Amino acid sequence: MNFDTKVFPLRPAWVEIDLARLRRNLQLIRRDLPRGVRMMAIVKDEAYGHGALDVARIALEEGAWGFGLSTLEEAMALREAGIAAPLLLLGERQEDELSWCVEHDLTVCLNEANTARALARAAAARGKRVPVHVKINTGMSRYGVRWDEALPLIEQICEEKFLLLDGVMTHFAQSDETDKTFANLQVSRFDEVLRGLAERGIRVKYRHLCNSGGFLDLPHAHRDLVRIGILMYGIFPSTVCRRIPGIEPVMSVKARVASIQNLKAGEVVGYGMRYTAPAPRRIAVLPIGYGDGFPRVRNLGAALIHGKRAPLVGGIAMDALMVDVTDIPEAQVWDEAVVMGRQGGEEITVHEMAKLKNSVSYDVLTGWRLRLRRQCVNGDSKPVTDANPDAGQLVETAAK
Ligand SMILES: *Cc1c(COP(=O)(O)O)cnc(C)c1O
């Protein structure tokens, strides 16, 4: 079934992706990056819910060196779309995934010896030497070989004829808070590994540590490459990290008013009768609910209609929520409402949604379900303006 809006009606609730803003964010990030530091665009989980293919295409045009993903499916979708840039699979791989990685030039993160040997076998079977990145656990204790046990693994990889040590990396447990003590401890543990490599005469092309928070606040950790996720989608990872003026959110969530109810004083709204009108009230129904990823709140939150905040009333349903438009008399059925994003001078931010959800901005972005179709806008806007052309290098192919 082709759900393209040219041939199939768009449901009156959708996610809007502003590709011009994405492009601008990427340009601003590139301009901010020191010369010679490459940018890996992190596009796991459908590019944080934005749509991996659309994001990847723009990121390549704006100088991304490669992409970070988390599942084999995600990587294969980009390869099948013809994207030849390096694809780094974050996390750990099962043995049965490795032949696919070799076949399709997906770069594997290695965390331990068994996977390294299995990957070497899969590569030898295809007569291919494959690049790998070694993940060092410097304190986050998620993936990676401990920093004080990393050298034997790296030496083992260097001895494998069919493996090419292309990168060593680590990941910060906390990079966007004011206190950088632990992040700096992680940097020093990583440097310990690098010194060990240098002493053994082992050369690595890409040393990388930074996510968006590290990129913004830990310039001494930039090294050869930074892994940018949330910042390119226009969201700062915390309220205290450095700001780059001009970065703007790429995603908005919108719906159209599907029905309007006029309530008399004392009448109730929604399941569980959680809201009773204290006086005559005008209520607008938006056809979007917790089945679309809206947090399951009661009498909390708002939507924007005609550039004004309409407070949410009652409990939200799977497919609908109700907002009070008594003070917005111009509101009519099928008017556009903004559930997340800007309208007129008002804004419902991702961070505001995160509070409603008792969660973080990352979870809000990825939490909008795919039943809300992604509508890309401003995709034909003018490319590269004044970004520093040296900051990110041109695309390389993964085939080595
Ligand atoms: C998700 C992820 C990133 C990107 O993090 P942001 O905070 O979104 O920039 C970078 N590195 C690794 C290993 C990740 O898993």
Side-chain angles (χ1 to χ4, degrees):
M1 188 73 207
N2 180 0
F3 291 124
D4 190 303
T5 41
K6 286 187 207 84
V7 296
F8 193 89
L10 179 66
R11 184 189 151 198
W14 68 99
V15 169
E16 196 168 282
I17 302 300
D18 189 325
L19 295 178
R21 284 193 189 171
L22 173 69
R23 193 183 286 285
R24 183 77 193 140
N25 293 345
L26 285 157
Q27 290 173 349
L28 289 167
I29 292 166
R30 273 188 63 186
R31 192 158 62 182
D32 198 86
L33 259 181
R35 276 176 91 101
V37 179
R38 298 188 186 217
M39 182 174 76
M40 174 180 289
I42 305 295
V43 293
K44 62 196 182 199
D45 200 359
E46 280 301 331
Y48 294 32
H50 292 65
L53 259 184
D54 292 306
V55 169
R57 289 206 176 102
I58 303 258
L60 278 178
E61 285 172 16
E62 297 305 332
W65 166 80
F67 299 98
L69 303 135
S70 87
T71 70
L72 187 58
E73 288 93 327
E74 290 170 352
M76 289 303 298
L78 293 197
R79 279 286 181 260
E80 270 174 9
I83 289 175
L87 302 182
L88 181 65
L89 278 170
L90 307 164
E92 180 63 65
R93 306 268 59 86
Q94 294 182 150
E95 195 164 336
D96 60 0
E97 297 179 313
L98 297 175
S99 60
W100 287 81
C101 297
V102 173
E103 187 74 37
H104 298 279
D105 298 304
L106 312 178
T107 309
V108 172
C109 278
L110 289 178
N111 303 302
E112 52 84 49
N114 289 328
T115 312
R117 272 191 291 272
L119 181 64
R121 279 196 304 275
R126 279 159 192 77
K128 248 186 185 176
R129 190 165 187 223
V130 300
V132 300
H133 287 220
V134 175
K135 177 82 172 278
I136 318 279
N137 170 22
T138 54
M140 169 138 170
S141 307
R142 190 175 65 179
Y143 294 111
V145 57
R146 282 180 65 96
W147 79 96
D148 50 3
E149 295 169 4
L151 287 173
L153 174 65
I154 298 175
E155 285 179 309
Q156 177 203 334
I157 288 166
C158 291
E159 279 159 23
E160 292 282 2
K161 257 201 330 231
F162 289 94
L163 300 183
L164 171 72
L165 180 68
D166 192 46
V168 287
M169 61 183 288
T170 191
H171 193 45
F172 290 120
Q174 188 181 68
S175 57
D176 51 10
E177 296 301 320
T178 315
D179 185 351
K180 301 288 197 263
T181 315
F182 195 71
N184 282 319
L185 175 66
Q186 289 191 267
V187 175
S188 67
R189 287 169 171 174
F190 190 71
D191 283 340
E192 215 177 294
V193 176
L194 295 183
R195 273 195 304 277
L197 294 182
E199 282 160 16
R200 285 159 181 78
I202 297 173
R203 264 190 41 79
V204 194
K205 206 159 169 195
Y206 301 111
R207 297 156 299 175
H208 48 116
L209 309 87
C210 289
N211 53 4
S212 295
F215 158 64
L216 288 166
D217 284 358
L218 298 162
H220 59 291
H222 284 170
R223 309 302 164 90
D224 306 307
L225 185 156
V226 292
R227 306 185 303 266
I228 304 290
I230 198 144
L231 189 63
M232 103 176 128
Y233 306 111
I235 310 298
F236 287 91
S238 80
T239 54
V240 295
C241 63
R242 179 171 68 95
R243 305 281 126 169
I244 297 177
I247 294 268
E248 291 189 279
V250 173
M251 179 191 288
S252 309
V253 180
K254 299 186 173 179
R256 291 188 184 280
V257 174
S259 167
I260 291 185
Q261 304 286 343
N262 290 298
L263 268 61
K264 300 195 168 107
E267 291 180 340
V268 299
V269 174
Y271 287 127
M273 301 161 292
R274 298 288 175 162
Y275 175 85
T276 305
R281 279 283 183 270
R282 200 162 167 254
I283 302 298
V285 181
L286 302 182
I288 180 169
Y290 63 77
D292 298 297
F294 198 99
R296 198 178 166 281
V297 290
R298 293 181 179 129
N299 299 315
L300 271 181
L304 307 179
I305 300 178
H306 289 275
K308 295 180 194 136
R309 285 177 97 88
L312 197 149
V313 289
I316 123 159
M318 192 186 297
D319 309 308
L321 58 82
M322 282 71 96
V323 292
D324 185 335
V325 292
T326 312
D327 297 332
I328 313 173
E330 61 273 42
Q332 296 297 328
V333 168
W334 303 124
D335 278 353
E336 188 173 297
V338 169
V339 167
M340 186 179 90
R342 275 183 219 152
Q343 197 187 52
E346 272 288 348
E347 180 174 12
I348 295 172
T349 65
V350 176
H351 290 291
E352 179 179 345
M353 291 297 302
K355 281 208 188 80
L356 281 186
K357 214 174 170 180
N358 262 318
S359 188
V360 293
S361 51
Y362 296 78
D363 181 30
V364 170
L365 294 178
T366 57
W368 296 108
R369 306 265 294 267
L370 290 175
R371 134 169 131 149
L372 291 172
R373 277 152 64 201
R374 269 56 178 167
Q375 288 303 110
C376 291
V377 298
N378 301 327
D380 47 5
S381 66
K382 245 186 152 174
V384 191
T385 49
D386 48 355
N388 172 5
D390 297 319
Q393 282 74 11
L394 290 176
V395 185
E396 284 183 354
T397 59
K400 284 193 181 128

